[in-house]
């Protein structure tokens, strides 16, 4: 009897972890579904390396803030939770900014104002409020990681797309993130006399993101069509938040 | 009433505790990274200084020898640093931070090294907000254009060669962007003229960078 219970518990937990990962990466992806955090996304995704840098920074903040908010969730009265969350997030962003300034100086300069602006990335406070303030530490950490990874992956794809179409290269500026040796990573895919400006300027980001969202919806439709019609059992609660960034 | 007051006090205490802890953590990080950040900034500065003036032309530590001037001739009213290069204690060149106020989108900060006769040793753009793909060719990472200034002398204020080809000068413009190179050329020209006109004053001014390296 006890054994079955333990087994069930483990299975339950596995499902839980799988669900959180799936939510963060695909089903409830912060960019493609929730449409959160678009300001940095659109501004920084001009090249793959910039995108990767900001993605990692946002992910670190998200993990850190999720963990600490989950840790203190039982001591923070409901009335003052928002200021406390904001304070924790702002603290993490400032720490990350200082660390980037100290150890990845080139990238810090190339990302510029968008590092402090991570504070205003709605994904972070949204996860704090919707997940970390109600769940234990390990799940919150995983949620932060997966949501951050989902954000980073979309950033990378968009950044890569814009860099290839806009200036015909990939990994340009890798030395900013990884140090001088990384200059060799730069790929020249094709050469323009003039860059394709639309891809690099902000409208290109909107258009690119439109295609990404459309692509995700097509894949979802196909998956749905393939699946045999399942009887309507429990539907996963899907926090679909569509708000401005 | 009393419970409300109690709750308020409790919330206040909790809030201030959080404020203390977060500021504390930020302060600790700041103290820990301070030296590293200073070092990075110095390294960056050294790199740029070395790019504009060849190492063998001077023998003093450039970043330790500068004067700060407020000259609107250099493009803006904000203070500009001017580094002084000497060899065997004789003046060799001036490295002038200046601003091109007439860029396509805002100010362009540049650093130009000028020998005493007005010949340009090198120029680099420090900061700009020009259109990516068009105006940003003034960055040395994007195009070699900025290196074309090397070894060209500014003879006088009326030196007509110091303009883009479209205006009858000797420097290339970029396809689709003439305003940006025009702004940079005129800023470099003014920096060179300033160096020629104020040489004595600049070299005699007290050193304002000596204390940078503790």
């Amino acid at each position: 009897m006890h054994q079955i219970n333990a087994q069930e518990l483990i299975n339950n937990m596995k499902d839980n972890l799988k669900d959180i990962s799936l939510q963060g990466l695909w089903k409830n992806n912060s960019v493609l579904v929730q449409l959160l955090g678009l300001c940095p996304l659109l501004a920084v995704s001009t090249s793959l390396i910039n995108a990767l840098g900001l993605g990692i920074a946002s992910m670190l903040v998200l993990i850190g803030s999720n963990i600490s908010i989950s840790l203190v969730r039982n001591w923070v009265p409901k009335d003052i939770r928002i200021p406390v969350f904001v304070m924790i997030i702002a603290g993490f962003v400032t720490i990350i900014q200082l660390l980037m300034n100290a150890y990845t100086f080139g990238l810090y300069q190339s990302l510029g104002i968008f590092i402090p602006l991570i504070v205003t990335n709605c994904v972070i406070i949204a996860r704090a409020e919707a997940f970390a303030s109600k769940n234990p530490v390990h799940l919150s950490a995983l949620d932060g990681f997966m949501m951050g990874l989902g954000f980073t992956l979309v950033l990378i794809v968009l950044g890569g797309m814009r860099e290839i179409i806009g200036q015909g290269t990939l990994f340009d500026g890798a030395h900013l993130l990884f140090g001088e040796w990384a200059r060799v990573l730069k790929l020249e895919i094709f050469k323009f006399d003039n860059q394709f400006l639309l891809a690099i300027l902000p409208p290109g980001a909107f258009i690119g993101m439109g295609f990404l969202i459309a692509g995700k919806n097509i894949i979802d439709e196909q998956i749905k069509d393939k699946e045999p019609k399942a009887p309507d059992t429990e539907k996963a609660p899907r926090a679909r938040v569509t708000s401005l960034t | 009433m009393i419970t409300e007051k109690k709750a308020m006090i409790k919330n206040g205490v909790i809030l201030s505790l959080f404020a203390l802890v977060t500021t504390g953590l930020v302060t600790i990080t700041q103290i820990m990274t301070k030296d590293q950040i200073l070092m990075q900034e110095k390294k960056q500065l050294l790199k740029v200084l070395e790019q504009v003036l060849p190492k063998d032309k001077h023998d003093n530590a450039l970043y330790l020898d500068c004067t700060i001037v407020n000259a609107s001739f250099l493009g803006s009213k904000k203070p500009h640093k001017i580094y002084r290069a000497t060899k065997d204690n004789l003046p060799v060149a001036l490295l002038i931070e200046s601003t091109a106020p007439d860029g396509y989108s805002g100010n362009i900060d540049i650093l130009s090294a000028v020998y005493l006769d007005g010949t340009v040793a090198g120029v680099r753009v420090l900061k700009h907000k020009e259109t990516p793909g068009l105006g940003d060719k003034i960055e040395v990472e994007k195009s070699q254009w900025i290196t074309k200034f090397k070894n060209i002398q500014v003879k006088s204020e009326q030196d007509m060669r110091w303009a883009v080809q479209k205006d009858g000068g000797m420097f290339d413009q970029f396809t689709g962007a003439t305003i940006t190179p025009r702004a940079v050329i005129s800023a470099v020209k003014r920096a060179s003229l300033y160096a020629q006109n104020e040489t004595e004053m600049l070299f005699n001014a007290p050193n304002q960078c000596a204390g940078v390296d503790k």
Side-chain angles (χ1 to χ4, degrees), chain A residues 57-107:
Chain A
S58 306
M59 185 158 81
L60 290 177
V61 173
L62 200 48
I63 296 172
S65 74
N66 258 12
I67 289 178
S68 24
I69 284 164
S70 171
L71 276 174
V72 300
R73 70 184 189 281
N74 294 329
W75 290 298
V76 181
K78 213 168 165 263
D79 309 325
I80 55 163
R81 69 185 193 287
I82 298 293
V84 169
F85 294 170
V86 170
M87 217 142 50
I88 291 175
I89 294 168
F92 268 107
V93 171
T94 317
I95 288 171
I96 300 264
Q97 182 189 2
L98 285 167
L99 290 176
M100 285 181 81
N101 192 349
Y103 298 103
T104 55
F105 192 69
L107 190 71

Side-chain angles (χ1 to χ4, degrees), chain A residues 13 16-17 20 67 70 131 135-144:
Chain A
M13 216 161 95
N16 224 341
L17 297 183
I20 289 175
I67 289 178
S70 171
F131 197 96
N135 286 287
V137 177
H138 63 285
L139 292 181
S140 300
L142 183 72
D143 179 73

Side-chain angles (χ1 to χ4, degrees), chain B residues 79-93:
Chain B
H80 288 105
K81 265 189 192 158
I82 296 181
Y83 298 92
R84 301 174 290 196
T86 57
K87 192 163 194 175
D88 303 324
N89 285 324
L90 289 172
V92 177

Side-chain angles (χ1 to χ4, degrees), chain A residues 84-214:
Chain A
V84 169
F85 294 170
V86 170
M87 217 142 50
I88 291 175
I89 294 168
F92 268 107
V93 171
T94 317
I95 288 171
I96 300 264
Q97 182 189 2
L98 285 167
L99 290 176
M100 285 181 81
N101 192 349
Y103 298 103
T104 55
F105 192 69
L107 190 71
Y108 171 78
Q109 285 192 318
S110 118
L111 291 178
I113 180 71
F114 291 101
I115 302 169
L117 275 186
I118 294 175
V119 171
T120 64
N121 189 332
C122 314
V123 179
I124 296 167
I125 191 113
R127 291 329 286 170
E129 171 75 6
F131 197 96
S133 64
K134 293 170 195 145
N135 286 287
V137 177
H138 63 285
L139 292 181
S140 300
L142 183 72
D143 179 73
F145 177 69
M146 286 303 170
M147 279 287 163
L149 194 63
F151 181 70
T152 310
L153 287 177
V154 177
L155 253 175
I156 290 177
V157 172
L158 193 56
M161 258 166 53
R162 288 176 72 190
E163 190 178 342
I164 293 175
I165 299 172
Q167 56 181 42
T169 62
L170 210 52
F171 297 109
D172 185 19
H175 61 285
L176 298 176
L177 193 58
F178 304 114
E180 283 304 314
W181 65 268
R183 274 183 199 274
V184 294
L185 285 179
K186 182 176 167 182
L187 298 174
E188 191 103 15
I189 293 169
F190 39 82
K191 189 134 182 89
F192 304 102
D193 285 338
N194 257 308
Q195 299 174 327
F196 183 55
L197 271 188
L198 179 67
I200 298 176
L201 296 177
F206 280 107
I207 296 169
M209 210 185 78
F211 278 112
L212 286 184
I213 294 175

Side-chain angles (χ1 to χ4, degrees), chain B residues 94-191:
Chain B
L94 289 160
L95 287 75
I96 299 181
E97 280 180 6
S98 67
T99 307
D102 40 6
Y104 187 71
S105 43
N107 289 344
I108 307 172
D109 287 337
I110 58 175
L111 176 78
S112 355
V114 185
Y115 296 119
L116 299 187
D117 65 348
T119 305
V120 174
V123 182
R124 287 292 179 274
V125 170
L126 301 175
K127 207 166 125 194
H128 76 88
K129 299 196 274 296
E130 300 303 293
T131 322
L134 292 176
D136 68 349
K137 292 189 186 113
I138 51 175
E139 281 175 37
V140 73
E141 305 249 321
K142 301 263 158 72
S143 144
Q144 288 296 305
W145 182 81
I146 199 87
T147 60
K148 299 274 156 59
F149 287 107
K150 200 170 172 179
N151 294 331
I152 295 175
Q153 193 182 11
V154 178
K155 287 177 175 146
S156 72
E157 190 135 12
Q158 281 75 40
D159 200 334
M160 289 305 288
R161 300 172 309 146
W162 279 80
V164 290
Q165 275 163 4
K166 211 181 193 173
D167 302 339
M170 61 178 294
F171 295 100
D172 292 340
Q173 57 264 357
F174 309 140
T175 326
T178 319
I179 294 172
T180 312
R182 208 182 258 156
V184 174
I185 292 167
S186 109
V188 176
K189 182 181 171 190
R190 267 181 286 122

Side-chain angles (χ1 to χ4, degrees), chain B residues 27-38:
Chain B
T27 316
I28 292 170
T29 324
Q30 205 247 332
I31 292 170
M32 273 173 9
T33 52
K34 202 174 65 189
D35 293 337
Q36 180 75 18
I37 290 174
L38 268 180

